[in-house]
Amino acid sequence: MSEFIGSVWWLIVSLGVLVTFHEFGHYWVARRAGVKVLRFSVGFGKPLWERRGADGTVYAVAAIPLGGYVKMMDEREGDVAPADVARAFNRQSVWKRIAIVAAGPVANLLLCVALFWLMFVLGRPDYAPVVGQAEGIAAQAGLQRGDVLLAVGDRETPTWSEAQLALIPAALDHADVAVRIRTPGGAERTRTLGLSRLPAAFDERRAVDAIGLLPRHLMVPPVVGTVAEGMPAWGVLAEGDHIMAVDGNPVADWTDIGPLVQQLGERGGPAMVEVRRGDERLALEMTPARVTPATGDAYWALGVAAARPAEPAKDATLQYGPLAAVPAAASEALHQAREMFAMIGRALTGRVSVENTVAGPITIARAANAYANHGAAWYLSMLAMLSLSLGILNLLPIPVLDGGHLLYYLIELVKGSPVSDRTMAVGQYIGLALIAGLMGLAFYNDILNNLVR
C-alpha cells in the first residue's frame, strides 16, 4: 500500500472511529433522557448508506468523513407534533441538556482510556532508553554512553519514547529537570539536566537533539560502506569492514572515528586501524590525508563512508497485565490531558510556535499511516491521543462546539433563563470565525510542514 493510499485509508478509519464514538455519546444519553433522535450520521454530505431503525432514527454514513452529527427533535429547527413536544430537546431541563451535550466529549475521553488500556495489554514495542552519545547539556550533566534513563522528573521512562515525551515539555519550558539513571556498572544515580541553558530559540521538533542526547538505537555502526579512490583507505579497507579501533582507541560508533582521525592527523605519521573482516581481526596501517574542501575548513580523512545501517530491532516493550493496565491507562490519559493544556498555554503565551501545535488533516493522515505501519499498539496509542484531543477541543468554550453550548447552559443556570436568540446568533458567528481561523491555521501548518519543507 503506497504512503498516499495508506494515509487516506487510516485517516478515514481514525476519523470514523472517533466521530462514531463521539456522536454515540450524544445519542445514547439523549435517548435515555427521553429525547427523540431523528438522524445519526457519520460524515457529512450525500449519504452513501442509510436505513431507518425501529425507533424511527435514520442511521447514515455520508460521503465526507470529516465529522458527523446527531440531529434531535427541536422546536427551534422545525415543526413538532403536539404528541412529541415532550421529547423535543429544547423542552428538556437544563441539566438534561448539559448531560446530552457533554456526553460526546466524555465518550471520547472514555474511548481514550480504553484505547490506552488495550495498547498496554497488547504491549507497544520500542527501544530501550539507553544513551548512545551525550554532548552539550547532557554531557555537562554527567550523562554518558550506556546510561539507562529510568525516570525524567517524576515520570518513569521504561522506553525511549517515554523518555523523549518526558524531556520535550521540560525543554520547551527551559526548566531544569532531574533524571534518574542506571550506569553501565549498575549503580543508580540522579543527574540534573540544565535545560534553562537551552537557547531562547531552538527547533522545537528536535528538542532532544538540542539537549545533546542521541539514543543508542540511532547510533551508526562503524561499518565501512564505501572507500574513496586515491584516499589512504583505498586498497586497505573494504566494504563491510567493522572498524574496532583507531591508533589503539576503541570505536563504538561511526561518530567516534572522525575525532580520532583528526588527532592522528595532527600527530603525524602512520597508525594502526583495527578492523573485523569476517572472522578475522586485522591491524592495518594508514596515514590520514589532508583534505581541503571547496567550502569549509580543511580536515584529515581516511576516505571512508559509513554503510547504511539497517533498522535496529526493538529491544523494549511498554506493557502491563489486564488489571494493572486499568490504572495505567487512566493515569496516562490524565497525564496527556495535562500536557495538552500545557501545550495550549505555551502556544497562547508564545513559548512555542503554533505551527508545531495545531495539526491539519494531512499531518494527521501521515501520522496515522506511520503509526499503523509500526503495529497495532502504536496505532492504538495515536488513536487514543486523537480521541483525547477531540474530547478536549470540543470542551473549549467556543460557540458551535459542545463547550460553547455548555457555556450557554451554565449562564442559563446562573441567570435562571436561557440566553437570548440574539446572543446565541452572535455567538454562532464568533464561533464559526474562530473555527474557520483554526482550520485555516491547521491547513497552513500542513502546507508548511508537509509540502514546502
Side-chain angles (χ1 to χ4, degrees), residues 177-198:
V177 65
V179 179
R180 182 161 54 88
I181 66 167
R182 184 171 59 245
T183 67
E188 289 196 11
R189 299 282 187 269
T190 298
R191 311 293 191 211
T192 299
L193 284 171
L195 303 185
S196 58
R197 299 197 298 273
L198 280 169

Side-chain angles (χ1 to χ4, degrees), residues 8-308:
V8 172
W9 167 251
W10 287 111
L11 177 66
I12 293 173
V13 170
S14 301
L15 292 180
V17 170
L18 300 182
V19 168
T20 299
F21 269 85
H22 180 93
E23 299 304 334
F24 181 77
H26 292 310
Y27 168 85
W28 190 84
V29 174
R31 289 290 304 274
R32 275 142 191 81
V35 175
K36 185 173 183 178
V37 178
L38 303 177
R39 191 176 187 87
F40 184 127
S41 177
V42 176
F44 298 111
K46 184 178 181 179
L48 301 176
W49 171 90
E50 67 178 17
R51 74 174 183 85
R52 184 179 298 274
D55 56 1
T57 302
V58 176
Y59 301 90
V61 176
I64 305 174
L66 297 179
Y69 62 93
V70 169
K71 181 177 176 60
M72 290 172 270
M73 182 178 289
D74 194 312
E75 291 176 297
R76 297 166 298 182
E77 298 180 4
D79 295 333
V80 176
D84 289 330
V85 166
R87 300 181 63 190
F89 177 79
N90 63 293
R91 291 295 184 104
Q92 308 307 309
S93 70
V94 66
W95 287 110
K96 283 188 177 181
R97 282 178 277 141
I98 287 174
I100 293 169
V101 171
V106 169
N108 281 125
L109 299 180
L110 293 176
L111 177 61
C112 168
V113 175
L115 291 170
F116 274 135
W117 176 84
L118 185 55
M119 178 203 74
F120 284 134
V121 171
L122 291 177
R124 191 179 71 189
D126 207 328
Y127 296 103
V130 181
V131 176
Q133 185 173 312
E135 299 177 338
I137 290 174
Q140 294 164 16
L143 291 176
Q144 298 178 352
R145 177 177 293 169
D147 286 345
V148 180
L149 307 183
L150 302 177
V152 175
D154 58 358
R155 184 169 174 80
E156 300 292 321
T157 55
T159 67
W160 177 255
S161 294
E162 295 298 301
Q164 186 171 331
L165 289 174
L167 287 167
I168 290 173
L172 296 177
D173 292 335
H174 290 76
D176 295 348
V177 65
V179 179
R180 182 161 54 88
I181 66 167
R182 184 171 59 245
T183 67
E188 289 196 11
R189 299 282 187 269
T190 298
R191 311 293 191 211
T192 299
L193 284 171
L195 303 185
S196 58
R197 299 197 298 273
L198 280 169
F202 61 90
D203 189 343
E204 299 154 4
R205 295 165 300 177
R206 302 178 64 85
V208 176
D209 292 342
I211 296 170
L213 278 176
L214 179 70
R216 181 181 64 186
H217 63 272
L218 290 184
M219 294 179 67
V220 179
V223 177
V224 176
T226 59
V227 181
E229 186 175 353
M231 293 295 289
W234 180 255
V236 181
L237 295 181
E239 179 181 348
D241 283 352
H242 189 121
I243 299 177
M244 309 295 293
V246 175
D247 198 24
N249 297 292
V251 171
D253 179 69
W254 188 266
T255 58
D256 294 338
I257 298 173
L260 293 176
V261 171
Q262 302 314 302
Q263 294 175 18
L264 181 59
E266 295 298 331
R267 191 199 70 189
M272 307 305 293
V273 176
E274 299 177 43
V275 302
R276 188 176 65 238
R277 182 178 295 169
D279 296 330
E280 295 182 281
R281 182 156 181 160
L282 308 173
L284 306 171
E285 186 177 87
M286 276 175 281
T287 301
R290 189 71 168 170
V291 175
T292 304
T295 59
D297 299 328
Y299 61 93
W300 297 94
L302 297 177
V304 291
R308 184 174 183 178

